[in-house]
CSV table of all heavy atoms in Angstrom, one decimal:
chain,number,residue,atom,x,y,z
A,1,LYS,N,72.5,15.4,10.0
A,1,LYS,CA,72.1,14.8,8.8
A,1,LYS,C,72.8,15.6,7.7
A,1,LYS,O,72.5,16.8,7.5
A,1,LYS,CB,70.5,15.0,8.6
A,1,LYS,CG,69.8,14.1,9.5
A,1,LYS,CD,68.3,14.1,9.2
A,1,LYS,CE,67.5,13.3,10.2
A,1,LYS,NZ,66.1,13.4,10.1
A,2,ILE,N,73.7,14.9,7.0
A,2,ILE,CA,74.5,15.6,6.0
A,2,ILE,C,73.6,16.3,4.9
A,2,ILE,O,72.7,15.7,4.4
A,2,ILE,CB,75.5,14.6,5.3
A,2,ILE,CG1,76.3,13.9,6.3
A,2,ILE,CG2,76.3,15.3,4.2
A,2,ILE,CD1,77.2,14.8,7.1
A,3,GLY,N,73.9,17.6,4.7
A,3,GLY,CA,73.2,18.3,3.7
A,3,GLY,C,71.9,19.0,4.2
A,3,GLY,O,71.2,19.7,3.5
A,4,GLU,N,71.6,18.8,5.5
A,4,GLU,CA,70.4,19.3,6.1
A,4,GLU,C,70.7,20.1,7.4
A,4,GLU,O,70.6,19.5,8.5
A,4,GLU,CB,69.4,18.2,6.4
A,4,GLU,CG,68.8,17.5,5.2
A,4,GLU,CD,67.8,16.4,5.5
A,4,GLU,OE1,67.1,16.6,6.5
A,4,GLU,OE2,67.8,15.4,4.8
A,5,PRO,N,71.1,21.3,7.3
A,5,PRO,CA,71.4,22.1,8.6
A,5,PRO,C,70.2,22.2,9.4
A,5,PRO,O,69.1,22.5,8.9
A,5,PRO,CB,72.0,23.4,8.1
A,5,PRO,CG,71.7,23.5,6.6
A,5,PRO,CD,71.4,22.1,6.1
A,6,ILE,N,70.3,22.1,10.7
A,6,ILE,CA,69.2,22.2,11.6
A,6,ILE,C,69.7,22.8,12.9
A,6,ILE,O,70.8,22.6,13.3
A,6,ILE,CB,68.5,20.9,11.8
A,6,ILE,CG1,67.2,21.1,12.6
A,6,ILE,CG2,69.4,19.9,12.5
A,6,ILE,CD1,66.2,19.9,12.7
A,7,THR,N,68.8,23.7,13.5
A,7,THR,CA,69.1,24.3,14.8
A,7,THR,C,68.2,23.6,15.8
A,7,THR,O,67.0,23.6,15.6
A,7,THR,CB,69.0,25.8,14.8
A,7,THR,OG1,69.9,26.3,13.8
A,7,THR,CG2,69.3,26.4,16.1
A,8,HIS,N,68.8,23.1,16.8
A,8,HIS,CA,68.0,22.5,17.9
A,8,HIS,C,67.9,23.4,19.1
A,8,HIS,O,69.0,24.0,19.5
A,8,HIS,CB,68.6,21.2,18.4
A,8,HIS,CG,68.8,20.1,17.3
A,8,HIS,ND1,67.8,19.2,17.1
A,8,HIS,CD2,69.8,19.9,16.4
A,8,HIS,CE1,68.2,18.4,16.1
A,8,HIS,NE2,69.4,18.8,15.7
A,9,ASP,N,66.7,23.7,19.6
A,9,ASP,CA,66.6,24.4,20.9
A,9,ASP,C,67.0,23.5,22.0
A,9,ASP,O,66.4,22.4,22.1
A,9,ASP,CB,65.2,24.9,21.1
A,9,ASP,CG,64.8,26.0,20.0
A,9,ASP,OD1,65.7,26.8,19.6
A,9,ASP,OD2,63.7,26.0,19.6
A,10,ILE,N,67.9,23.8,22.8
A,10,ILE,CA,68.3,23.0,24.0
A,10,ILE,C,68.3,23.8,25.2
A,10,ILE,O,68.2,25.0,25.2
A,10,ILE,CB,69.7,22.4,23.7
A,10,ILE,CG1,70.8,23.4,23.7
A,10,ILE,CG2,69.7,21.5,22.5
A,10,ILE,CD1,72.2,22.9,23.7
A,11,THR,N,68.4,23.1,26.4
A,11,THR,CA,68.5,23.8,27.7
A,11,THR,C,69.9,23.5,28.2
A,11,THR,O,70.4,22.3,28.2
A,11,THR,CB,67.4,23.2,28.6
A,11,THR,OG1,66.2,23.5,28.1
A,11,THR,CG2,67.5,23.9,30.0
A,12,VAL,N,70.5,24.6,28.7
A,12,VAL,CA,71.8,24.4,29.4
A,12,VAL,C,71.7,24.8,30.8
A,12,VAL,O,70.8,25.7,31.1
A,12,VAL,CB,72.9,25.2,28.7
A,12,VAL,CG1,73.2,24.8,27.3
A,12,VAL,CG2,72.7,26.7,28.7
A,13,ARG,N,72.4,24.2,31.7
A,13,ARG,CA,72.4,24.5,33.1
A,13,ARG,C,73.7,24.9,33.5
A,13,ARG,O,74.7,24.2,33.4
A,13,ARG,CB,71.9,23.3,33.9
A,13,ARG,CG,71.8,23.5,35.4
A,13,ARG,CD,71.3,22.3,36.2
A,13,ARG,NE,69.9,22.0,35.7
A,13,ARG,CZ,69.4,20.8,35.7
A,13,ARG,NH1,70.0,19.8,36.2
A,13,ARG,NH2,68.1,20.6,35.3
A,14,ILE,N,73.8,26.2,34.1
A,14,ILE,CA,75.0,26.7,34.5
A,14,ILE,C,74.8,27.2,35.9
A,14,ILE,O,73.8,28.0,36.2
A,14,ILE,CB,75.5,27.9,33.6
A,14,ILE,CG1,75.6,27.5,32.2
A,14,ILE,CG2,76.8,28.5,34.1
A,14,ILE,CD1,75.7,28.6,31.2
A,15,ASN,N,75.7,26.8,36.9
A,15,ASN,CA,75.5,27.2,38.3
A,15,ASN,C,74.1,26.9,38.8
A,15,ASN,O,73.5,27.7,39.5
A,15,ASN,CB,75.9,28.6,38.5
A,15,ASN,CG,77.3,28.9,38.1
A,15,ASN,OD1,78.2,28.1,38.2
A,15,ASN,ND2,77.5,30.1,37.6
A,16,ARG,N,73.5,25.7,38.4
A,16,ARG,CA,72.2,25.2,38.9
A,16,ARG,C,71.0,26.0,38.3
A,16,ARG,O,69.9,25.9,38.8
A,16,ARG,CB,72.2,25.2,40.4
A,16,ARG,CG,73.2,24.2,41.0
A,16,ARG,CD,73.0,24.0,42.4
A,16,ARG,NE,73.9,23.1,42.9
A,16,ARG,CZ,74.5,23.2,44.1
A,16,ARG,NH1,74.3,24.2,44.9
A,16,ARG,NH2,75.4,22.2,44.5
A,17,VAL,N,71.3,26.9,37.3
A,17,VAL,CA,70.2,27.6,36.7
A,17,VAL,C,70.1,27.2,35.2
A,17,VAL,O,71.1,27.1,34.5
A,17,VAL,CB,70.5,29.2,36.8
A,17,VAL,CG1,69.4,30.0,36.1
A,17,VAL,CG2,70.7,29.6,38.2
A,18,ASN,N,68.8,27.0,34.8
A,18,ASN,CA,68.6,26.6,33.4
A,18,ASN,C,68.4,27.8,32.5
A,18,ASN,O,67.8,28.7,32.9
A,18,ASN,CB,67.3,25.7,33.3
A,18,ASN,CG,67.5,24.3,33.9
A,18,ASN,OD1,68.6,23.9,34.3
A,18,ASN,ND2,66.5,23.6,34.0
A,19,TYR,N,69.0,27.7,31.3
A,19,TYR,CA,68.9,28.7,30.3
A,19,TYR,C,68.6,28.1,28.9
A,19,TYR,O,69.0,27.0,28.6
A,19,TYR,CB,70.2,29.5,30.2
A,19,TYR,CG,70.7,30.1,31.4
A,19,TYR,CD1,71.6,29.4,32.3
A,19,TYR,CD2,70.4,31.4,31.8
A,19,TYR,CE1,72.1,30.0,33.4
A,19,TYR,CE2,70.9,32.0,32.9
A,19,TYR,CZ,71.7,31.3,33.7
A,19,TYR,OH,72.2,31.9,34.9
A,20,PRO,N,67.9,28.8,28.1
A,20,PRO,CA,67.7,28.4,26.7
A,20,PRO,C,69.0,28.6,25.9
A,20,PRO,O,69.7,29.6,26.1
A,20,PRO,CB,66.5,29.2,26.2
A,20,PRO,CG,66.6,30.5,27.0
A,20,PRO,CD,67.2,30.1,28.3
A,21,ALA,N,69.3,27.7,25.0
A,21,ALA,CA,70.4,27.8,24.1
A,21,ALA,C,70.1,27.2,22.8
A,21,ALA,O,69.0,26.6,22.6
A,21,ALA,CB,71.7,27.2,24.7
A,22,ALA,N,71.0,27.2,21.8
A,22,ALA,CA,70.7,26.6,20.5
A,22,ALA,C,72.0,25.8,20.1
A,22,ALA,O,73.1,26.3,20.3
A,22,ALA,CB,70.4,27.7,19.5
A,23,TYR,N,71.7,24.7,19.4
A,23,TYR,CA,72.8,23.9,18.9
A,23,TYR,C,72.5,23.7,17.4
A,23,TYR,O,71.5,23.2,17.0
A,23,TYR,CB,72.9,22.5,19.6
A,23,TYR,CG,73.9,21.6,19.0
A,23,TYR,CD1,75.3,21.9,19.1
A,23,TYR,CD2,73.5,20.5,18.2
A,23,TYR,CE1,76.2,21.0,18.6
A,23,TYR,CE2,74.5,19.7,17.6
A,23,TYR,CZ,75.8,19.9,17.8
A,23,TYR,OH,76.8,19.1,17.3
A,24,ARG,N,73.5,24.2,16.5
A,24,ARG,CA,73.3,24.1,15.1
A,24,ARG,C,74.3,23.0,14.5
A,24,ARG,O,75.5,23.1,14.9
A,24,ARG,CB,73.5,25.4,14.4
A,24,ARG,CG,73.3,25.4,12.9
A,24,ARG,CD,73.3,26.8,12.3
A,24,ARG,NE,73.1,26.8,10.9
A,24,ARG,CZ,72.0,26.6,10.2
A,24,ARG,NH1,70.9,26.3,10.9
A,24,ARG,NH2,72.0,26.6,8.9
A,25,ILE,N,73.7,22.2,13.7
A,25,ILE,CA,74.6,21.1,13.1
A,25,ILE,C,74.2,20.9,11.7
A,25,ILE,O,73.0,21.1,11.3
A,25,ILE,CB,74.5,19.8,13.9
A,25,ILE,CG1,75.5,18.7,13.5
A,25,ILE,CG2,73.0,19.2,13.9
A,25,ILE,CD1,76.9,19.1,13.7
A,26,GLY,N,75.1,20.6,10.8
A,26,GLY,CA,74.9,20.3,9.4
A,26,GLY,C,75.3,21.4,8.5
A,26,GLY,O,75.5,22.6,9.0
A,27,SER,N,75.5,21.1,7.2
A,27,SER,CA,75.8,22.2,6.3
A,27,SER,C,75.1,21.9,5.0
A,27,SER,O,74.8,20.7,4.6
A,27,SER,CB,77.3,22.1,6.1
A,27,SER,OG,77.7,20.9,5.5
A,28,LYS,N,74.9,22.9,4.2
A,28,LYS,CA,74.2,22.8,2.9
A,28,LYS,C,75.1,22.1,1.8
A,28,LYS,O,74.6,21.6,0.8
A,28,LYS,CB,73.7,24.1,2.4
A,28,LYS,CG,72.6,24.6,3.3
A,28,LYS,CD,72.0,25.9,2.7
A,28,LYS,CE,70.9,26.4,3.6
A,28,LYS,NZ,70.4,27.8,3.2
A,29,ASP,N,76.4,22.2,2.0
A,29,ASP,CA,77.4,21.7,1.0
A,29,ASP,C,77.6,20.2,1.1
A,29,ASP,O,78.4,19.6,0.4
A,29,ASP,CB,78.7,22.5,1.0
A,29,ASP,CG,79.5,22.3,2.3
A,29,ASP,OD1,79.1,21.5,3.2
A,29,ASP,OD2,80.5,23.0,2.5
A,30,GLY,N,77.0,19.5,2.1
A,30,GLY,CA,77.1,18.1,2.2
A,30,GLY,C,78.3,17.6,2.9
A,30,GLY,O,78.6,16.4,3.0
A,31,LYS,N,79.1,18.6,3.5
A,31,LYS,CA,80.3,18.2,4.2
A,31,LYS,C,80.0,18.2,5.7
A,31,LYS,O,79.2,19.0,6.2
A,31,LYS,CB,81.4,19.2,3.9
A,31,LYS,CG,81.9,19.1,2.5
A,31,LYS,CD,83.0,20.1,2.3
A,31,LYS,CE,83.4,20.1,0.8
A,31,LYS,NZ,84.5,21.1,0.6
A,32,GLN,N,80.7,17.3,6.4
A,32,GLN,CA,80.5,17.4,7.9
A,32,GLN,C,81.2,18.6,8.5
A,32,GLN,O,82.3,19.0,8.0
A,32,GLN,CB,81.1,16.1,8.5
A,32,GLN,CG,80.2,14.9,8.3
A,32,GLN,CD,80.8,13.7,9.1
A,32,GLN,OE1,81.9,13.5,9.3
A,32,GLN,NE2,79.8,12.9,9.6
A,33,ARG,N,80.6,19.2,9.4
A,33,ARG,CA,81.1,20.4,10.0
A,33,ARG,C,81.0,20.2,11.6
A,33,ARG,O,80.2,19.4,12.0
A,33,ARG,CB,80.3,21.7,9.7
A,33,ARG,CG,80.2,21.9,8.2
A,33,ARG,CD,81.4,22.7,7.7
A,33,ARG,NE,81.3,23.1,6.3
A,33,ARG,CZ,82.2,22.9,5.4
A,33,ARG,NH1,83.3,22.4,5.8
A,33,ARG,NH2,82.0,23.3,4.2
A,34,SER,N,81.7,21.1,12.3
A,34,SER,CA,81.6,21.1,13.7
A,34,SER,C,80.2,21.6,14.0
A,34,SER,O,79.6,22.4,13.3
A,34,SER,CB,82.6,22.1,14.3
A,34,SER,OG,83.9,21.6,14.2
A,35,GLY,N,79.6,21.2,15.1
A,35,GLY,CA,78.4,21.7,15.6
A,35,GLY,C,78.7,23.0,16.3
A,35,GLY,O,79.8,23.3,16.7
A,36,LEU,N,77.7,23.9,16.4
A,36,LEU,CA,77.9,25.2,17.0
A,36,LEU,C,76.9,25.4,18.2
A,36,LEU,O,75.7,25.4,17.9
A,36,LEU,CB,77.7,26.3,16.0
A,36,LEU,CG,78.7,26.4,14.9
A,36,LEU,CD1,78.3,27.5,13.9
A,36,LEU,CD2,80.1,26.8,15.5
A,37,LEU,N,77.4,25.5,19.4
A,37,LEU,CA,76.6,25.7,20.5
A,37,LEU,C,76.5,27.2,20.8
A,37,LEU,O,77.6,27.8,21.1
A,37,LEU,CB,77.2,25.0,21.7
A,37,LEU,CG,76.5,25.2,23.1
A,37,LEU,CD1,75.0,24.7,23.0
A,37,LEU,CD2,77.2,24.4,24.2
A,38,SER,N,75.4,27.8,20.6
A,38,SER,CA,75.2,29.3,20.8
A,38,SER,C,74.6,29.6,22.1
A,38,SER,O,73.5,29.1,22.5
A,38,SER,CB,74.3,29.8,19.7
A,38,SER,OG,74.8,29.6,18.4
A,39,LEU,N,75.4,30.3,22.9
A,39,LEU,CA,75.0,30.6,24.3
A,39,LEU,C,74.5,32.0,24.5
A,39,LEU,O,73.8,32.3,25.4
A,39,LEU,CB,76.1,30.4,25.3
A,39,LEU,CG,76.6,29.0,25.4
A,39,LEU,CD1,77.8,28.9,26.3
A,39,LEU,CD2,75.6,28.0,25.8
């Protein structure tokens, strides 16, 4: 959502094991940015 940065808690699975992770999308300046997957 342009202009509304938000971090989503997500689950990633690596080698059949689930881990918590975060995905951040959006910017305060109203420009589209790459999402950031934090592991």
Side-chain angles (χ1 to χ4, degrees):
K1 290 184 181 175
I2 303 299
E4 295 181 34
I6 187 167
T7 301
H8 300 272
D9 293 326
I10 64 170
T11 300
V12 298
R13 183 175 296 152
I14 303 168
N15 301 328
R16 298 188 177 141
V17 179
N18 289 354
Y19 301 94
Y23 176 71
R24 182 167 177 80
I25 189 67
S27 65
K28 291 182 181 176
D29 64 7
K31 296 181 181 178
Q32 286 189 322
R33 302 276 186 227
S34 294
L36 293 173
L37 177 58
S38 300
L39 297 177

